Amino acid sequence: MTVSTDQHKEGKKDVTFRVFRFNPQVDSKPYFDDYTIPVERGVTVLRSLNYIKEHIDGSVSFRAFCQAGICGSCGMRVNGLSQLACTTQVWDVLAKSREPGIIKVEPLRNLPLIKDLIVDMDPLVDKMKHYANWVDSTMPEAQMGKKEFLISEEEFLRYDKATDCILCASCVSECSILRANKEYVSPAVLLKSYRMNVDSRDSMHEQRLAELVKDHGVWDCTHCYRCQESCVKSIPIMDAIHGIREDAIESRGKNDTSGSKHAEAFMTDIEKKGKLVEATLPIRTNGVVWTMQNLLPMAMKMIMKRRTPPPPPLVKSVKGIKIFRTMFREMTEHVKQDHKSHKK
Amino acid sequence: MKPFDIVIVGGGGAGLYAAMEAMKTNPALNIAVLSKVYPNRSHTSAAQGGANAALGNKAKDDTVEMHIFDTIKGSDYLADQDAVDVLCSEAPKIIRELENMGTPWSRMDDNTIAQRPFGGAGRPRCCYCSDKTGHTILQTLYEQCLKKGVIFFNEYFALNLSVGGSRSNGLIAMNMKTGKVEAFPAKTVIFATGGYAKMYWNRSSNAAGNTGDGQAIAYRAGIALKDMEFVQFHPTGLRKSGLLVTEGARGEGGYLLNKDGERFMARYAPEKMELGPRDLVSRSLETEILQGRGFDSPAGKYLHLDLTHLGADLIKSRLPQIREMSMNFEGVDPIEEPIPVRPTAHYSMGGIDTDNQTRTVMEGVYAAGECGCVSVHGANRLGGNSLLDILVFGRIAGRTAAEEAGKFTPGTISEAELAAQFEEIRGGMHPSGRYERYGELREALGQTLALNVGIFRESSLLQKGISEIAVLKERFKKVRISDSSDVFNTNLMQVLELKNMLDLAETVAAGAYARQESRGSHTRIDFPVRDDSNWHKHTLATLVKGNVTLGEKPVTMGRYELQERTY
């Protein structure tokens, strides 16, 4: 028997699924099991796993529910990339596979492992609670159901895409900050926070924002864009993250946190020089004392060991800085205008 | 464990609304929601089209009265008219309530909630959020439950009610993370576990877990199931997977075409065309295929759902999910070419018999949503009434249980009972001798149901179905669970779900065999007309000494007299 759609009889390939295995009851550490099955074109990774579970090894454990790309249960890493098994075509993966004929299937990263391909989603739910990922309606509960809020198409479009999120946690798994810091808010929760913050029906924008600018919050993102690239619903998650940051600076000022100061220092440098003045950036971000105590000793060590050149004390402006400044101001003006029209 | 005032089984739309409403009704109550998945995974998320409510935003002359009539007519007069009254009267309020809580409804030009036409409805009254309506409603409800601090027991698989005399002591469930069987002693239990149409397996649009767990538990506890023979086939499932293409695709103007390029619905519903009610459209597709006007493919015969004339902009903005699914699962971009479709088992009209307040015959046990049967859908549900049902009756269940919990004293569930349950579910783990494979049995069940208890039914086919299901139940006793682990034993869960489907399949086939008429989704070739004098009544299926025993219950009439149903 083969996993078949009955449809495309023209092609069939032997595919080895190298599946991550770990049963906490018996295994001291994870290992991989290989299952080789013939797969026809049009078959998804999830259907292949179902086949393996039903015909070869019933103990292979993974979550799956709707099998149609809407419930978000079957998030896993397929050849290193976090995605939904149910919408991922085996042949598409094979075409890009580094090892011919082999597909490696692993659990999502950055969430505690339970068994095989199953990870614990509770930390994500806890963060949704911590950052109040709900609309706290301006309408008192007793008044609800009597009349509609009137919402413009323009406002709807601001959160429409964000409400596509199915919490599959692919972005969580791909996030480079979470790998270093499990307390980090995480991209999905930032996306949802943004969605709530731009909803005119919500009443706790200020409190949510106050939480988001704290440590482990929105300023910790390093713009690697991994979340956005891996989003199974193609949601522009980084727009949401930038949106929260712009909102934070606008609502709370430039000197609110080291995050906002850092962003402001960046802006100043780019506007003045067309590039960064790295020597003073930490001072402008975190102040002299912090820099002396926390950064200087390591920076000195790195320079001594020739891991980094000493930063030049004086930075000259880049060539063509005048034209650049004009363009830069024009852009800044555009963004401001955009914000004003949103506020309406 | 400390006894609960309310234990809600299921975390979809009905369960979450019940939880929210119960907390609102009495914040002092100790309430738990059990779900075999994280609540935001529930199948409510797959509802694409929308929820009906006579808001009058699109058609100013729409009224609750018209919604009531459409629903009753759509049900082929099997719905209870007082229940439909509750459903439709509450509709505008509950849609606005969701809106007030943050559901991102699509909007009209005047900034009110957008509405579109849907099958069997006299006015465009289906409120939607593009084609992700259920998903956004589920997200809103889950968010609001987190806000209210609802206690969730996620990834708990419900096993059985603990019954003492005429009432329940609470629920017994397995913690998937540990494999332990745990007791949930409770004053009241609400079942909201969704439908059972997945028993048709590959010929079903449902999630893998829509296995009727709540209905099966209630049935085993002696509670009657109602109208189980009525299974709705949705006209437009994707050819290969059975996955659903929303009725909204036809609401937006899509055509159904046969291999001659003909809009064949002109033959069956000349006025409503593609927007006829689901049972009629499904039969029309099936008839076209049977009479040789379908397309042929190795994956089976099919017809075309053509959206190409709608244009790329409309498809991208109003039906993005449909486009994505067609491309993922059929390799077809609906902007460029028609989508291959055929009818797919989609919705279970039948369920746990309840009154208008969601009470079952067992004191302190309630059921709501697709899991229950009030009945508001009768013999055929209208599109857009299912999301509405889970919201309206989910809320009523929460309120009723909260108000009545005080009347009951919590029962106790003994260690011995838990141990016996544990023994029972683990029995299949190490069988000796010949054993049966789970996948084979499940496949055989889906096959026999699709062939013998499908869209067109007939006496000898149904008899065959009944005896084949009996054989499968016998074979199931030797099923083997090939994962011996306690932790997240998904194989064990699948086997337990199959057990539930087998129990319920028996009631579906028995009801279909008994009902010698054609009404709504139930079409008997040997009894092609509706027979009001003998069959204008609900069927009840009860488990007596291990066998399905059929009974009946009158239909509550009201303002609307029986009429022939034409579109």
Side-chain angles (χ1 to χ4, degrees):
Chain A
M1 268 181 86
T2 51
V3 193
S4 148
T5 62
D6 298 324
Q7 160 77 97
H8 300 279
K9 294 287 180 201
E10 75 271 20
K12 196 188 282 181
K13 289 179 186 172
D14 274 340
V15 183
T16 299
F17 288 85
R18 187 156 289 164
V19 182
F20 181 100
R21 303 300 307 270
F22 178 69
N23 176 359
Q25 278 187 299
V26 288
D27 302 325
S28 54
K29 61 178 189 201
Y31 59 97
F32 286 89
D33 268 335
D34 281 2
Y35 304 95
T36 304
I37 56 170
V39 182
E40 293 179 355
R41 182 198 294 278
V43 171
T44 60
V45 171
L46 181 59
R47 283 191 61 186
S48 307
L49 288 174
N50 278 333
Y51 181 87
I52 291 167
K53 187 172 178 66
E54 274 174 33
H55 294 93
I56 305 174
D57 184 347
S59 71
V60 175
S61 302
F62 50 92
R63 290 193 186 98
F65 197 64
C66 80
Q67 327 219 13
I70 185 65
C71 81
S73 296
C74 64
M76 56 185 74
R77 280 187 300 144
V78 180
N79 273 355
L81 188 68
S82 306
Q83 49 200 309
L84 293 179
C86 72
T87 54
T88 303
Q89 296 283 333
V90 171
W91 281 32
D92 290 353
V93 180
L94 279 182
K96 287 177 269 177
S97 199
R98 234 178 280 169
E99 289 178 87
I102 296 177
I103 293 179
K104 205 173 186 182
V105 189
E106 297 163 279
L108 295 177
R109 272 193 299 231
N110 297 334
L111 289 163
L113 179 64
I114 295 178
K115 180 190 182 187
D116 293 354
L117 303 170
I118 298 171
V119 295
D120 190 354
M121 290 286 169
D122 284 349
L124 187 60
V125 178
D126 291 342
K127 284 174 187 169
M128 285 167 59
K129 285 196 221 171
H130 181 84
Y131 291 96
N133 278 186
W134 47 72
V135 167
D136 188 30
S137 185
T138 54
M139 176 100 60
E141 208 166 71
Q143 294 300 313
M144 283 191 182
K146 290 179 183 158
K147 66 176 207 291
E148 298 174 25
F149 286 104
L150 296 179
I151 308 280
S152 66
E153 177 79 2
E154 198 197 345
E155 179 182 331
F156 171 76
L157 288 177
R158 263 192 288 158
Y159 49 67
D160 180 31
K161 215 37 209 162
T163 62
D164 282 359
C165 173
I166 57 174
L167 295 168
C168 70
S170 286
C171 61
V172 171
S173 170
E174 293 292 319
C175 176
S176 53
I177 306 303
L178 274 168
R179 283 195 86 175
N181 173 17
K182 297 285 177 282
E183 284 179 69
Y184 172 57
V185 49
S186 83
V189 174
L190 285 173
L191 177 72
K192 278 187 93 77
S193 302
Y194 170 78
R195 173 256 175 278
M196 304 304 162
N197 268 351
V198 296
D199 195 316
S200 64
R201 294 168 290 191
D202 175 69
S203 67
M204 59 180 302
H205 167 263
E206 302 305 320
Q207 293 112 288
R208 200 179 290 113
L209 203 55
E211 211 49 47
L212 286 164
V213 297
K214 287 184 184 164
D215 286 356
H216 319 301
V218 68
W219 292 111
D220 283 16
C221 168
T222 56
H223 319 202
C224 76
Y225 277 75
R226 295 290 302 133
C227 55
Q228 183 157 326
E229 280 169 18
S230 65
C231 178
V232 304
K233 292 284 167 188
S234 309
I235 303 169
I237 303 174
M238 282 308 300
D239 286 3
I241 296 176
H242 288 309
I244 296 173
R245 288 180 168 191
E246 285 163 15
D247 184 12
I249 288 183
E250 202 173 317
S251 311
R252 307 174 58 90
K254 291 169 186 168
N255 294 319
D256 180 34
T257 61
S258 56
S260 58
K261 285 181 204 159
H262 187 68
E264 186 55 26
F266 243 84
M267 280 281 279
T268 313
D269 283 358
I270 299 294
E271 188 179 4
K272 278 193 185 151
K273 307 274 184 185
K275 61 179 175 185
L276 289 182
V277 186
E278 302 218 35
T280 59
L281 196 59
I283 301 171
R284 287 175 291 156
T285 301
N286 284 309
V288 178
V289 177
W290 185 93
T291 307
M292 302 286 268
Q293 284 176 348
N294 294 287
L295 205 62
L296 205 59
M298 188 178 62
M300 291 306 285
K301 262 191 225 164
M302 282 174 75
I303 293 166
M304 302 288 278
K305 302 227 173 205
R306 302 195 176 184
R307 307 294 290 183
T308 181
L314 289 170
V315 175
K316 275 192 194 157
S317 302
V318 293
K319 266 187 195 166
I321 184 71
K322 282 197 178 140
I323 304 165
F324 174 75
R325 276 181 198 148
T326 321
M327 284 159 61
F328 184 83
R329 276 173 202 144
E330 224 170 87
M331 243 165 61
T332 322
E333 207 44 48
H334 260 293
V335 173
K336 273 186 193 156
Q337 286 299 331
D338 263 9
H339 277 224
K340 266 187 197 156
S341 63
H342 274 321
K343 279 269 145 29
K344 282 179 211 159
Chain B
M1 191 177 281
K2 189 172 154 247
F4 289 96
D5 294 295
I6 306 175
V7 166
I8 298 167
V9 192
L16 295 182
Y17 225 118
M20 222 169 55
E21 186 68 14
M23 286 188 88
K24 211 154 119 183
T25 308
N26 184 353
L29 294 180
N30 184 17
I31 299 164
V33 176
L34 257 80
S35 171
K36 67 177 173 181
V37 294
Y38 278 84
N40 53 302
R41 310 288 184 222
S42 306
H43 201 49
T44 300
S45 67
Q48 298 162 345
N52 295 331
L55 293 172
N57 290 353
K58 176 105 181 183
K60 301 293 172 205
D61 63 343
D62 194 16
T63 60
V64 167
E65 205 49 50
M66 289 167 84
H67 187 187
I68 293 175
F69 176 70
D70 288 342
T71 303
I72 291 168
K73 183 182 172 192
S75 80
D76 221 346
Y77 296 88
L78 194 69
D80 292 300
Q81 298 197 4
D82 54 344
V84 176
D85 202 317
V86 173
L87 179 82
C88 303
S89 310
E90 288 287 308
K93 181 168 185 277
I94 210 150
I95 296 299
R96 287 190 205 111
E97 196 169 292
L98 274 176
E99 194 278 338
N100 296 164
M101 289 187 292
T103 301
W105 298 105
S106 292
R107 299 286 165 165
M108 313 253 300
D109 288 342
D110 67 355
N111 298 348
T112 56
I113 296 171
Q115 297 187 286
R116 64 179 159 208
F118 239 53
R123 293 288 183 277
R125 71 169 73 92
C126 190
C127 310
Y128 63 95
C129 171
S130 56
D131 56 358
K132 53 177 176 180
T133 315
H135 162 73
T136 56
I137 288 177
L138 186 66
Q139 293 291 329
T140 307
L141 292 175
Y142 186 50
E143 288 155 13
Q144 294 299 315
C145 282
L146 291 180
K147 172 173 173 249
K148 277 195 174 292
V150 171
I151 301 164
F152 285 105
F153 290 86
N154 295 332
E155 305 192 308
Y156 273 71
F157 186 85
L159 295 170
N160 272 316
L161 273 177
S162 164
V163 180
S166 67
R167 50 165 295 137
S168 113
N169 299 320
L171 190 86
I172 301 172
M174 174 175 61
N175 181 346
M176 290 301 295
K177 276 184 194 158
T178 61
K180 286 206 173 72
V181 170
E182 298 179 17
F184 290 84
K187 293 179 180 172
T188 64
V189 176
I190 299 173
F191 286 107
T193 59
Y196 53 82
K198 193 60 186 176
M199 61 171 69
Y200 288 78
W201 207 252
N202 279 337
R203 284 294 297 277
S204 169
S205 65
N206 285 190
N210 285 24
T211 50
D213 303 341
Q215 294 92 323
I217 291 171
Y219 179 62
R220 287 196 290 266
I223 297 171
L225 304 179
K226 185 160 72 190
D227 293 338
M228 292 296 281
E229 62 271 30
F230 293 102
V231 176
Q232 178 168 78
F233 281 77
H234 192 289
T236 54
L238 290 179
R239 164 190 50 182
K240 290 185 206 166
S241 54
L243 294 173
L244 197 73
V245 180
T246 171
E247 192 164 313
R250 279 170 288 138
E252 296 291 351
Y255 296 151
L256 286 169
L257 304 175
N258 61 22
K259 71 171 182 190
D260 306 321
E262 180 195 12
R263 276 181 78 188
F264 57 84
M265 281 311 296
R267 241 193 307 285
Y268 309 94
E271 266 183 53
K272 297 255 179 189
M273 295 294 285
E274 279 82 359
L275 287 179
R278 286 182 179 169
D279 56 340
L280 195 155
V281 183
S282 282
R283 276 196 301 275
S284 309
L285 267 91
E286 206 71 0
T287 307
E288 288 295 304
I289 288 171
L290 287 175
Q291 295 181 356
R293 291 188 291 277
F295 298 88
D296 231 334
S297 82
K301 296 189 190 319
Y302 63 95
L303 292 153
H304 273 161
L305 172 62
D306 189 4
L307 309 180
T308 53
H309 58 286
L310 300 179
D313 284 351
L314 189 138
I315 292 173
K316 280 184 192 162
S317 65
R318 298 279 178 80
L319 304 163
Q321 254 199 64
I322 291 310
R323 179 160 180 249
E324 198 181 300
M325 272 177 46
S326 303
M327 299 203 292
N328 277 336
F329 300 106
E330 288 285 349
V332 164
D333 183 349
I335 293 175
E336 310 286 339
E337 44 182 331
I339 309 170
V341 293
R342 68 174 186 185
T344 181
H346 177 56
Y347 185 83
S348 25
M349 266 76 73
I352 301 172
D353 176 34
T354 75
D355 68 10
N356 288 352
Q357 300 302 308
T358 73
R359 299 182 194 98
T360 70
V361 288
M362 190 176 280
E363 271 192 348
V365 178
Y366 310 80
E370 194 173 347
C371 179
C373 181
V374 187
S375 134
V376 288
H377 308 304
N380 173 58
R381 173 178 70 81
L382 291 189
N385 269 357
S386 163
L387 281 177
L388 183 60
D389 173 14
I390 64 175
L391 302 172
V392 169
F393 289 97
R395 183 166 70 177
I396 290 175
R399 192 188 306 144
T400 313
E403 284 166 1
E404 295 182 355
K407 290 201 304 196
F408 306 118
T409 46
T412 50
I413 299 172
S414 70
E415 284 299 322
E417 196 175 352
L418 293 183
Q421 275 289 327
F422 186 79
E423 235 352 88
E424 194 188 320
I425 62 170
R426 293 304 188 93
M429 273 195 184
H430 311 285
S432 51
R434 224 184 92 73
Y435 60 83
E436 297 283 352
R437 301 181 83 103
Y438 150 79
E440 258 173 52
L441 296 183
R442 189 209 61 211
E443 217 56 42
L445 176 65
Q447 279 292 327
T448 191
L449 284 168
L451 291 175
N452 305 311
V453 200
I455 295 181
F456 290 114
R457 299 167 173 182
E458 193 257 318
S459 175
S460 61
L461 287 178
L462 288 165
Q463 270 176 327
K464 189 160 170 261
I466 289 169
S467 62
E468 284 183 9
I469 293 165
V471 170
L472 288 173
K473 282 192 82 163
E474 211 38 51
R475 287 175 64 191
F476 178 82
K477 289 178 183 161
K478 287 200 170 168
V479 73
R480 184 183 133 169
I481 296 150
S482 39
D483 186 352
S484 58
S485 152
D486 294 320
V487 179
F488 234 103
N489 193 331
T490 48
N491 190 207
L492 171 59
M493 185 160 88
Q494 288 176 320
V495 167
L496 294 171
E497 288 173 335
L498 177 61
K499 178 176 163 28
N500 290 340
M501 290 195 287
L502 282 166
D503 283 349
L504 296 181
E506 221 171 29
T507 67
V508 174
Y513 181 68
R515 188 175 281 275
Q516 298 188 336
E517 65 158 353
S518 290
R519 182 188 298 272
S521 69
H522 173 69
T523 308
R524 287 283 297 257
I525 300 169
D526 42 354
F527 298 96
V529 286
R530 198 174 83 188
D531 177 1
D532 287 329
S533 50
N534 291 309
W535 285 102
H536 187 238
K537 59 192 178 193
H538 301 294
T539 44
L540 293 180
T542 316
L543 185 69
V544 181
K545 291 182 184 146
N547 293 314
V548 193
T549 308
L550 290 180
E552 58 184 64
K553 191 176 177 179
V555 176
T556 308
M557 295 298 279
R559 268 164 292 187
Y560 299 103
E561 294 301 315
L562 287 161
Q563 283 176 37
E564 199 195 339
R565 181 165 162 258
T566 52
Y567 286 93

